[in-house]
């Protein structure tokens, strides 16, 4: 609200961030395997800003902006007509600052992981509004039982299992208003019970003096991220390339960078790859897909989700 809110809204329009959700999931199917989706149909509608999806057993799970729901589903169906069943509530409400709720199933389908962003930049809306936020939640799909798997992650979005180690990794959007070069968004392994600093500190134990009161004992436990992706890149999508069709990408983490409104010179707006060796990121990132900014640095598109299909093609949601 106020002057700050007005400026933020104008900047978001400039960056291409002001859009409304169609509240549906669209099915895209390449029936003749020519690399083009020749079937496009509404799979599920009447949702509430859906973002994450997972198919487990005989159910399609969908992470709405305020709840994890599921539908009975059989692979091959082109329309889901059953009513949704709520599995567990998710942090939402009138104030829903980082609204996206991404979703990832454990490899055996016994647990669901939901990434939930903070309800503020640095807790300025009160920590009562941050319940189960800035965290990755672990949810039992059968009972809905929910616990915080890892916390202090300001806005985690993309999640993926590292194929060599089986560890959970995520990309996180860090805090704003500390200038163009702070704080780096990052790629990191997510430890069960791990704390990653927000809102009290960043990049481990660098204290954010804007946040009061501080919690030094908690900050002392903050885990530093594994790999910096640049400040205000809005890194949102994550997938590990586990195919040999594109040899230069084999084993790499593929990251969709949406680009942030909170920077005087745009950065991100690309898809990049980070090489892994022995289960850890190494070397400089490699550009995979660019050209989302024109010569005047206006956004022509903003990549978000990334996925690898069965043929080894990289799919990018823009």
């Amino acid at each position: 609200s106020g002057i700050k809110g007005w400026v933020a809204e104008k900047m978001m329009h400039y960056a291409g961030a002001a859009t409304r959700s169609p509240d549906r999931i669209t099915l895209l199917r390449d029936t003749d395997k020519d690399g083009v989706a020749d079937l496009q149909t509404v799979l599920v509608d009447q949702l509430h800003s859906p973002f994450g999806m997972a198919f487990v057993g005989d159910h399609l799970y969908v992470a709405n902006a305020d709840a994890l729901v599921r539908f009975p589903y059989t692979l091959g169906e082109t329309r889901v007509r059953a009513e949704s069943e709520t599995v567990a509530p998710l942090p939402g409400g009138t104030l829903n600052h980082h609204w996206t709720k991404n979703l990832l199933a454990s490899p055996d389908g016994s647990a669901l992981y939901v990434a939930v962003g903070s309800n503020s930049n640095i807790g300025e809306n009160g920590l009562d509004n941050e319940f189960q936020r800035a965290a990755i939640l672990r949810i039992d799909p059968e009972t809905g039982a929910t616990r915080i798997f890892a916390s202090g992650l300001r806005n985690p979005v993309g999640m993926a299992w590292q194929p060599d180690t089986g560890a959970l990794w995520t990309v996180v959007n860090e805090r704003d208003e500390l200038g163009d070069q702070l704080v780096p968004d990052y790629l990191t392994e997510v430890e069960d019970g791990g704390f990653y600093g927000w809102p009290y500190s960043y990049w481990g134990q660098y204290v954010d003096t804007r946040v009061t009161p501080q919690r030094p004992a908690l900050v002392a436990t903050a885990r530093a991220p594994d790999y910096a992706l640049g400040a205000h890149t809005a890194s949102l999508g994550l997938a590990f390339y586990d195919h040999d069709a594109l040899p230069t990408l084999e084993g790499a983490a593929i990251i969709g960078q949406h680009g942030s409104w909170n920077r005087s010179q745009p950065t991100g707006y690309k898809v990049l790859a980070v090489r892994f060796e022995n289960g850890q990121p190494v070397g400089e990132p490699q550009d995979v897909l660019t050209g989302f900014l024109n010569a005047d640095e206006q956004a022509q598109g903003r990549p978000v989700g990334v996925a690898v299909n069965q043929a080894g093609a990289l799919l990018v949601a823009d």
Side-chain angles (χ1 to χ4, degrees):
S1 62
I3 296 295
K4 181 178 175 181
W6 181 83
V7 171
E9 183 178 4
K10 294 297 182 185
M11 290 294 290
M12 288 180 183
H13 274 277
Y14 175 77
T19 58
R20 298 182 66 85
S21 173
D23 292 339
R24 67 172 178 259
I25 293 172
T26 300
L27 174 68
L28 303 171
R29 183 170 293 163
D30 177 10
T31 62
D32 55 9
K33 309 299 182 186
D34 67 347
V36 176
D38 47 272
L39 173 66
Q40 177 176 324
T41 183
V42 175
L43 182 67
V44 190
D45 57 10
Q46 304 299 312
L47 298 169
H48 179 44
S49 293
F51 191 84
M53 297 178 289
F55 177 61
V56 181
D58 55 1
H59 284 91
L60 173 66
Y61 290 84
V62 178
N64 280 325
D66 59 358
L68 175 62
V69 301
R70 70 180 183 180
F71 301 85
Y73 182 68
T74 301
L75 279 180
E77 291 179 340
T78 59
R79 178 70 178 176
V80 174
R81 303 190 183 279
E83 293 294 320
S84 66
E85 174 190 356
T86 298
V87 177
L90 297 174
T94 303
L95 181 65
N96 198 5
H97 183 61
H98 289 121
W99 62 269
T100 62
K101 307 295 193 296
N102 200 11
L103 177 61
L104 180 69
S106 62
D108 64 1
S110 64
L112 297 170
Y113 294 80
V114 179
V116 184
S118 65
N119 221 351
S120 60
N121 180 32
I122 50 169
E124 66 275 12
N125 293 326
L127 294 183
D128 288 346
N129 285 311
E130 303 294 350
F131 176 69
Q132 291 188 338
R133 302 193 74 120
I136 292 177
L137 308 179
R138 185 185 187 277
I139 300 177
D140 185 320
E142 296 307 316
T143 68
T146 302
R147 70 173 177 88
I148 294 176
F149 183 78
S151 61
L153 301 154
R154 179 179 175 270
N155 187 22
V157 182
M159 297 183 291
W161 301 105
Q162 208 285 326
D164 294 329
T165 65
L168 178 63
W169 285 71
T170 189
V171 285
V172 177
N173 293 203
E174 256 291 358
R175 65 203 70 199
D176 294 326
E177 301 172 16
L178 287 177
D180 276 5
Q181 303 306 323
L182 287 176
V183 173
D185 298 335
Y186 58 83
L187 167 71
T188 194
E189 182 177 347
V190 184
E191 294 180 344
D192 192 354
F195 173 69
Y196 291 77
W198 188 90
Y200 308 103
S201 64
Y202 58 86
W203 204 262
Q205 299 168 16
Y206 289 90
V207 172
D208 191 332
T209 58
R210 300 173 298 172
V211 180
T212 56
Q214 276 286 327
R215 296 184 59 186
L218 183 59
V219 168
T221 70
R223 183 189 188 282
D226 290 288
Y227 191 92
L229 294 168
H232 312 299
T233 60
S235 297
L236 299 176
L238 176 63
F240 283 97
Y241 191 80
D242 55 357
H243 205 282
D244 59 5
L246 299 171
T248 60
L249 299 181
E250 193 167 356
I254 311 298
I255 298 166
Q257 295 192 321
H258 186 245
S260 173
W261 63 273
N262 187 241
R263 201 176 196 277
S264 60
Q265 296 296 315
T267 190
Y269 298 93
K270 65 173 66 174
V271 177
L272 53 80
V274 176
R275 292 189 302 110
F276 268 62
E277 291 180 1
N278 300 317
Q280 295 296 317
V282 295
E284 295 293 318
Q286 168 192 350
D287 286 352
V288 176
L289 186 62
T290 61
F292 290 94
L293 293 173
N294 65 15
D296 297 321
E297 294 192 324
Q298 296 169 322
Q300 307 301 291
R302 308 184 81 192
V304 182
V306 291
V308 180
N309 74 5
Q310 291 179 343
L314 177 62
L315 306 179
V316 180
D318 161 21

